[in-house]
């Protein structure tokens, strides 16, 4: 399990979030605490949706 924005492994970390892509719902978006905090952009690998 890796953060979709920075690729960091999140298993050992706390504070990360997982949610389905807001546009297609097919892909689980996983973000680490840091990327959540700095509102790092992510791109859905399935539909290309970009979001903070
Ligand atoms: Zn990250
Ligand atoms: Zn999507």
């Amino acid at each position: 399990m890796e953060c979709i924005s920075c690729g960091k492994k999140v298993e050992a970390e706390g504070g990360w979030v997982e949610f389905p892509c807001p546009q297609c719902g097919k892909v689980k978006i996983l973000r680490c605490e840091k990327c959540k905090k700095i509102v790092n952009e992510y791109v859905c690998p399935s539909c290309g949706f970009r979001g903070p």
Side-chain angles (χ1 to χ4, degrees), residues 11-52:
E11 286 99 331
E13 312 265 325
W16 53 273
V17 288
E18 188 184 51
F19 55 94
C21 169
Q23 186 164 273
C24 68
K26 287 180 196 163
V27 179
K28 275 186 182 165
I29 309 289
L30 212 148
R31 298 179 86 201
C32 70
E33 188 175 20
K34 191 183 119 215
C35 291
K36 204 172 64 180
K37 208 178 282 176
I38 65 173
V39 199
N40 209 352
E41 187 180 70
Y42 65 83
V43 181
C44 170
S46 174
C47 68
F49 176 81
R50 282 168 184 268

